[in-house]
């Protein structure tokens, strides 16, 4: 396989609070390739959104990236750059032209006081050095590309004038304004209805095929992952507990969490009124992070005396890793 | 099976006001002629996308909203009363028989009350003034929803989302209601917790012979809990049928599209999906004829002129589509 565009190595992001330190991201590794989608899946508090924000260098205080590497391979080739070593000013040239973000809540992520055209052209003028007219023309092209009807009229409208689905299209247009190579989509369809979700997922797939975008798709929805992702990273409490190609994750999941998660998903294929297998307990509070393997209190296959104390290392090849003592790595 | 609730021709219009004099310039037809029945002991799911009126229907049934027209016949204690026609005072003694479970377990519990008081409040209001007796009943309810009774004196913030939803359910059950209206009860929860709450709701229904009106947008969740499903689009029911029949062989093109859009956790299944174009119609200004026709791939000229009525095309199968009898639509694709 080709070289990855973006590699995350042992990423650690912490939030210091009075009650203690929250290890929101605690040693995450993954690779993102051109024209492929990496699905990052996990439940609330697993650190998937903080991972995205860490990559872009927009973790909000008191959060801080405390370790690891985020390696971006330059477009012209050459040695990868570690984004964590860049100055804030240099980072600004990464956000937009190299890596862009689509947020979950399209209403909350726009300014209500500027037209959408205004908000799209801001980045174009800043990064691509176009004048106002050229930038506006590009904004209209972008809106057209993401399927906003009547783009030359819509460009002068305000976000509140658009429906949820259209707002998400505009958000994608804005993210693509400076031709990024990596698109991070953080729950891009969670706030949308299913029929609108289907439209947006189709759009993302189409854009990826046309432009060879590398997409990091962050979601809690295994259905969306099955549909969109080529590769998957399953996260639990700040760790990628299992990574691998989408087919293998679904057909032969290795980590007990992945297995349990897949079993507990309601599907339209189920028989009516059937009980679902559940995962015992609930996700621990971030201040009460379990010792050892963070999943051990909920795990049905716990190895008593080992999982409570020792942290399982990642085992397997780079493209198919799992962090669980059932699959090796015992001390 | 006996009918617990019969909704007939329910309408709820919200006026659109404009200008200095707040003159009414239009109506949002949030619910526009909805009829269905709920049998005792069953779960009827009300499904649809945002703005389809499913929540408005549930609020009218609970009389949190006053319907604009229609009847809501509720059978209780051997008699049938039309809830839509009652005054607030007359409603009060009936309210204990229908309770609500809310979507958001974070905002639906008072953060300043301890769990014991939250669950005990409906008991107190309905005359159980003896403290010890109330405590005993609260402990019983907590056991019913599998919450340790030791948590009685904790505040909601100390609980996880799933535990909070259990508290909400215990509160709804406090007065032994006949009907539980659950509006998106699991959509704010994580997947691993969602399954726990769905199972709990099924268990409680079996134990207490509860009747559920389950309002949801997620067809996968609905499949697991419901006996029958009613699909709503722009203020009307477009299809109503037994769950299995509706999923396997939908009769309305909108149901077909919804089923097709539901993400399935099986890689590669999504390839032949029907993606609806355009957006949900505006209930303040619905298109003429069938409200779904601008997005329907089976629409013909008559769909633009004639408004279809909900009719029973097969025993137990209601559909509102002019072409229901001639179309052969695609149900859920079984990958096996």
């Amino acid at each position: 396989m080709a070289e990855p565009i973006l590699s995350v190595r042992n990423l650690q992001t912490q939030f210091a609070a009075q009650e203690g330190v929250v290890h929101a991201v605690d040693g995450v590794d993954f690779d993102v390739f051109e024209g492929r989608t990496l699905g990052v899946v996990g439940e609330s508090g697993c650190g998937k959104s903080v991972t995205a924000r860490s990559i872009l260098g927009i973790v909000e205080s008191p959060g801080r990236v405390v370790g690891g590497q985020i390696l971006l391979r330059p477009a012209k080739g050459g040695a990868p750059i570690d984004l964590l070593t860049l100055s804030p000013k240099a980072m600004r040239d990464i956000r937009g032209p190299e890596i862009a973000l689509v947020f979950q809540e399209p209403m909350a992520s726009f300014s209500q006081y500027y037209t959408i055209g205004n908000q799209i052209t801001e980045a174009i003028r800043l990064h691509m050095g176009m004048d106002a007219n050229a930038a506006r023309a590009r904004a209209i092209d972008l809106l057209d590309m993401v399927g906003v009807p009547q783009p030359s009229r819509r460009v002068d409208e305000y976000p509140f004038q658009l429906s949820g689905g259209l707002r998400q299209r505009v958000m994608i247009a804005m993210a693509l304004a400076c031709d990024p190579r990596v698109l991070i989509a953080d729950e891009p369809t969670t706030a949308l209805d299913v029929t609108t979700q289907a439209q947006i997922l189709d759009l993302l797939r189409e854009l990826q095929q046309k432009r060879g975008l590398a997409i990091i798709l962050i979601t809690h929805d295994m259905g969306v992952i099955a549909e969109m992702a080529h590769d998957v990273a399953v996260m639990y409490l700040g760790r990628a507990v299992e990574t691998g190609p989408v087919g293998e994750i679904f057909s032969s999941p290795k980590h007990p969490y992945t297995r349990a998660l897949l079993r507990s998903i309601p599907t339209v294929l189920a028989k009516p009124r059937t009980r679902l297998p559940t995962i015992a307990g609930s996700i621990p509070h971030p201040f009460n992070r379990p010792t050892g393997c963070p999943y051990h209190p909920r795990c049905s296959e716990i190895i008593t005396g080992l999982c409570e104390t020792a942290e399982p290392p990642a085992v397997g090849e780079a493209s198919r890793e799992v962090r669980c003592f059932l699959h090796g790595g015992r001390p | 099976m006996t009918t617990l609730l019969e909704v007939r021709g329910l309408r709820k219009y919200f006026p659109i006001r404009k200008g200095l004099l707040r003159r009414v310039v239009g109506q949002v037809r949030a619910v526009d002629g909805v009829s269905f029945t709920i049998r005792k002991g069953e779960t009827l799911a009300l499904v649809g996308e945002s703005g389809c009126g499913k929540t408005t229907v549930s609020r009218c049934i609970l009389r949190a909203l006053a319907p604009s027209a229609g009847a809501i016949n509720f059978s209780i204690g051997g008699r049938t009363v039309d809830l839509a026609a009652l005054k607030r005072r007359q409603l009060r003694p009936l309210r204990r028989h229908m309770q609500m479970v809310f979507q958001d377990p974070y905002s639906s519990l008072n953060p300043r009350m301890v769990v014991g008081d939250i669950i005990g409040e409906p008991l107190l209001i309905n005359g159980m003034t003896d403290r010890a007796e109330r405590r005993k009943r609260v402990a019983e309810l907590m056991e019913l929803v599998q919450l340790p009774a030791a948590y009685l004196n904790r505040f909601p913030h100390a609980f996880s989302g799933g535990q909070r939803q259990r508290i909400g359910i215990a509160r709804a059950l406090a007065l032994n209601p006949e009907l539980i209206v659950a509006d998106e009860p699991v959509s704010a929860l994580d997947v691993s917790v969602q399954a726990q709450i769905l199972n709990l709701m099924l268990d409680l229904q079996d134990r207490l012979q509860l009747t559920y009106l389950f309002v949801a947008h997620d067809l996968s969740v609905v499949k697991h809990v419901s006996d029958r499903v009613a699909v709503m689009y722009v203020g009307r029911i477009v299809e109503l049928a037994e769950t299995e029949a509706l999923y396997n062989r939908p009769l309305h093109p909108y149901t077909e599209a919804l089923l097709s859009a539901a993400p399935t956790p099986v890689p590669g299944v999504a390839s032949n999906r029907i993606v609806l174009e355009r957006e949900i119609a505006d209930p303040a200004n619905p298109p003429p004829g069938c409200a779904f026709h601008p997005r329907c791939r089976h629409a013909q000229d008559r769909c633009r002129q004639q408004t279809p009525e909900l009719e029973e095309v097969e025993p137990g199968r209601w559909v509102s589509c002019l072409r229901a009898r001639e179309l052969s639509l695609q149900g859920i694709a079984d990958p096996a």
Side-chain angles (χ1 to χ4, degrees), chain B residues 10-11 13 29-35 46-47 51-54 57 230-239 254 286 289-291 307-310 320:
Chain B
L10 183 69
R11 281 167 214 277
Y13 294 176
R29 301 172 171 202
V31 178
D32 200 15
V34 162
S35 304
L46 209 49
V47 181
C52 73
K54 55 190 193 297
V57 168
V231 181
M232 285 188 73
Y233 189 76
V234 197
R236 290 164 185 259
I237 291 180
V238 295
E239 181 164 4
Y254 179 61
C290 170
T307 307
E309 295 295 324
L310 189 66
S320 151

Side-chain angles (χ1 to χ4, degrees), chain A residues 161-183:
Chain A
Q161 291 172 291
L162 308 175
S163 68
L166 276 186
R167 274 200 291 266
Q168 200 55 290
R169 287 179 191 266
V170 173
M171 170 83 69
I172 292 170
M174 198 154 103
L176 297 179
C178 304
D179 273 323
R181 292 187 294 149
V182 181
L183 183 72

Side-chain angles (χ1 to χ4, degrees), chain A residues 47-62:
Chain A
K48 53 194 193 298
S49 290
V50 178
T51 302
R53 290 177 164 268
S54 305
I55 293 172
L56 286 162
I58 52 169
V59 179
E60 271 161 36
S61 176

Side-chain angles (χ1 to χ4, degrees), chain A:
Chain A
M1 206 186 277
E3 295 282 345
I5 292 189
L6 186 77
S7 302
V8 172
R9 290 286 170 268
N10 194 26
L11 181 68
Q12 293 173 34
T13 306
Q14 300 179 351
F15 287 76
Q18 264 175 0
E19 297 91 330
V21 175
V22 175
H23 299 254
V25 180
D26 194 26
V28 164
D29 301 276
F30 56 69
D31 293 315
V32 193
F33 297 90
E34 187 185 315
R36 286 174 79 84
T37 299
L38 170 76
V40 179
V41 66
E43 300 181 284
S44 47
C46 73
K48 53 194 193 298
S49 290
V50 178
T51 302
R53 290 177 164 268
S54 305
I55 293 172
L56 286 162
I58 52 169
V59 179
E60 271 161 36
S61 176
R64 216 161 55 85
V65 179
V66 296
Q69 287 180 308
I70 298 167
L71 301 169
L72 179 73
R73 201 164 294 274
K76 355 179 221 316
I81 329 162
D82 183 359
L83 300 185
L84 294 177
T85 61
L86 294 184
S87 67
K89 192 167 168 297
M91 226 10 237
R92 217 175 299 154
D93 294 329
I94 300 290
R95 286 191 290 263
E98 295 287 346
I99 309 173
L101 178 64
V102 173
F103 291 92
Q104 169 174 3
E105 210 359 285
M107 196 64 204
S109 329
F110 282 109
S111 163
Q112 298 305 305
Y113 305 108
Y114 293 92
T115 62
I116 57 170
N118 239 315
Q119 298 183 51
I120 298 175
T121 49
E122 186 185 4
I124 301 175
R125 296 185 64 182
L126 187 70
H127 290 297
M128 304 179 88
M130 289 187 183
D131 65 30
N133 285 329
R136 186 186 158 88
R138 177 161 172 85
I140 293 171
D141 284 349
L142 286 162
L143 290 177
D144 191 41
M145 179 185 74
V146 297
V148 172
Q150 298 177 277
S152 49
R153 187 169 66 85
R154 292 288 190 180
V155 74
D156 293 318
E157 290 190 353
Y158 291 87
F160 69 85
Q161 291 172 291
L162 308 175
S163 68
L166 276 186
R167 274 200 291 266
Q168 200 55 290
R169 287 179 191 266
V170 173
M171 170 83 69
I172 292 170
M174 198 154 103
L176 297 179
C178 304
D179 273 323
R181 292 187 294 149
V182 181
L183 183 72
I184 305 180
D186 186 0
E187 303 269 10
T189 58
T190 307
L192 304 176
D193 282 313
V194 271
T195 57
T196 318
Q197 164 168 295
Q199 293 173 354
I200 297 295
L201 295 181
D202 264 24
L203 172 67
L204 284 174
R205 257 200 307 253
E206 186 195 313
L207 291 170
Q208 178 169 57
Q209 273 161 19
K210 275 193 200 148
R211 308 169 143 239
L213 268 178
I215 298 180
I216 303 178
L217 178 71
I218 295 171
T219 178
H220 67 283
D221 188 333
M222 277 289 191
V224 172
I225 290 284
E227 191 173 324
M228 296 292 292
H230 302 99
D231 309 294
V232 182
V234 181
M235 288 188 66
Y236 189 76
L237 286 185
R239 299 239 171 105
V241 293
E242 182 166 3
T243 56
V246 68
E248 286 185 33
I249 294 284
F250 279 85
S251 65
S252 54
K254 288 184 172 168
H255 199 283
Y257 177 62
T258 316
R259 289 208 289 262
L261 196 61
L262 284 168
R263 277 197 303 265
S264 68
I265 305 168
T267 95
V268 290
L269 306 171
K271 281 244 161 288
R273 299 193 64 93
T274 41
R275 293 341 185 235
L276 281 161
T278 59
I279 303 180
S282 52
I283 300 159
H285 194 277
F287 291 126
N288 298 326
R289 192 194 167 79
T291 53
C293 168
Y295 184 61
H296 86 257
R298 306 178 75 189
C299 185
S300 57
E301 296 165 69
I302 179 173
I303 307 167
T304 316
L306 178 62
C307 298
E308 302 96 320
T309 49
E311 297 197 10
V315 292
E317 328 141 37
S319 61
R320 183 89 179 88
E321 280 186 344
V322 59
R323 284 174 179 270
C324 177
F325 288 125
L326 292 171
H327 300 281
R330 293 193 196 205

Side-chain angles (χ1 to χ4, degrees), chain B:
Chain B
M1 235 191 281
T2 52
T3 299
L4 179 69
L5 187 85
E6 185 200 22
V7 176
R8 278 279 147 265
L10 183 69
R11 281 167 214 277
K12 177 66 190 175
Y13 294 176
F14 294 98
I16 307 169
R17 292 172 193 278
K18 260 207 172 121
L20 191 63
L21 298 172
R22 314 298 298 151
R23 262 209 306 259
V24 176
V25 295
Q27 301 278 350
V28 176
R29 301 172 171 202
V31 178
D32 200 15
V34 162
S35 304
F36 60 87
T37 56
I38 307 180
R39 300 168 194 148
K40 202 171 154 29
E42 78 164 342
T43 301
L44 176 73
L46 209 49
V47 181
E49 298 182 282
S50 42
C52 73
K54 55 190 193 297
T55 295
T56 308
V57 168
S58 70
R59 294 190 174 234
C60 285
I61 290 171
L62 292 164
R63 278 296 306 272
L65 287 172
S68 308
I72 302 164
N73 296 317
F74 187 53
S75 304
I76 188 77
R79 64 192 184 112
T80 301
V81 278
D82 179 5
L83 300 176
L86 296 184
K87 299 209 164 53
R88 282 183 86 88
R89 271 237 322 274
Q90 298 169 303
L91 273 167
R92 190 163 293 164
L94 292 168
R95 290 207 184 270
R96 60 178 304 158
H97 301 298
M98 16 178 222
Q99 293 289 322
M100 176 123 188
V101 174
F102 296 90
Q103 170 172 7
D104 182 355
Y106 293 85
S107 62
S108 58
L109 303 178
N110 186 340
R112 293 163 194 246
M113 282 167 80
V114 296
V115 169
D117 290 341
I118 290 174
I119 301 174
E121 196 180 29
L123 298 168
L124 180 65
I125 290 168
N126 281 273
M128 193 188 275
T129 44
D130 182 64
R131 218 182 139 75
E133 192 188 350
R134 217 164 55 230
R135 286 226 137 196
K136 197 172 145 252
R137 175 72 180 139
V138 169
E140 244 172 62
L141 288 162
M142 289 180 74
E143 200 229 293
L144 205 57
V145 299
Q146 294 150 32
L147 275 177
Y151 292 172
L152 203 66
N153 291 317
R154 294 196 187 179
F155 288 95
H157 71 81
F159 294 91
S160 66
Q163 287 172 321
R164 282 180 217 219
Q165 203 54 306
R166 288 175 196 271
I167 298 168
I169 293 171
R171 175 177 61 184
L173 293 175
L175 299 165
N176 285 321
E178 288 284 331
L179 175 69
I180 298 273
V181 175
D183 190 354
E184 301 274 10
V186 297
S187 55
L189 304 176
D190 278 309
V191 205
S192 69
V193 182
Q194 205 174 39
Q196 296 172 3
I197 298 296
L198 290 175
N199 290 353
L200 175 70
M201 287 186 70
L202 287 170
D203 291 342
L204 290 171
Q205 183 167 43
D206 291 347
R207 269 174 81 172
L208 308 170
Q209 279 86 51
L210 295 167
T211 307
Y212 290 142
L213 176 63
F214 193 96
V215 180
H217 72 284
D218 185 332
L219 287 163
S220 322
V221 167
V222 163
K223 183 82 182 277
H224 280 270
V225 293
S226 58
D227 298 294
R228 292 189 303 144
V229 180
V231 181
M232 285 188 73
Y233 189 76
V234 197
R236 290 164 185 259
I237 291 180
V238 295
E239 181 164 4
L240 195 162
E242 304 262 336
T243 306
E244 188 100 71
L246 184 120
Y247 281 72
N248 289 344
R249 190 170 57 90
L251 294 181
H252 196 286
Y254 179 61
T255 315
E256 180 192 39
L258 267 188
L259 287 169
S260 160
T264 316
V266 183
V269 167
S271 45
N272 54 357
R273 203 175 49 189
I274 306 160
V275 175
L276 286 181
E277 300 200 347
R278 298 200 240 180
E279 311 213 330
I280 301 167
D282 176 5
N285 185 19
C290 170
F292 186 59
H293 86 252
R295 308 177 77 192
C296 182
R297 55 184 193 147
H298 305 288
Q300 296 176 329
D301 273 343
R302 58 186 169 137
C303 302
R304 289 177 253 281
Q305 287 132 24
Q306 205 180 332
T307 307
E309 295 295 324
L310 189 66
E311 55 173 332
E312 192 168 15
V313 291
E314 286 167 33
R317 296 213 63 170
W318 298 76
V319 59
S320 151
C321 173
L322 297 173
R323 304 193 61 199
R325 288 189 173 84
E326 51 191 272
L327 295 176
S328 164
L329 305 178
Q330 171 196 330
I332 43 165
D334 199 332

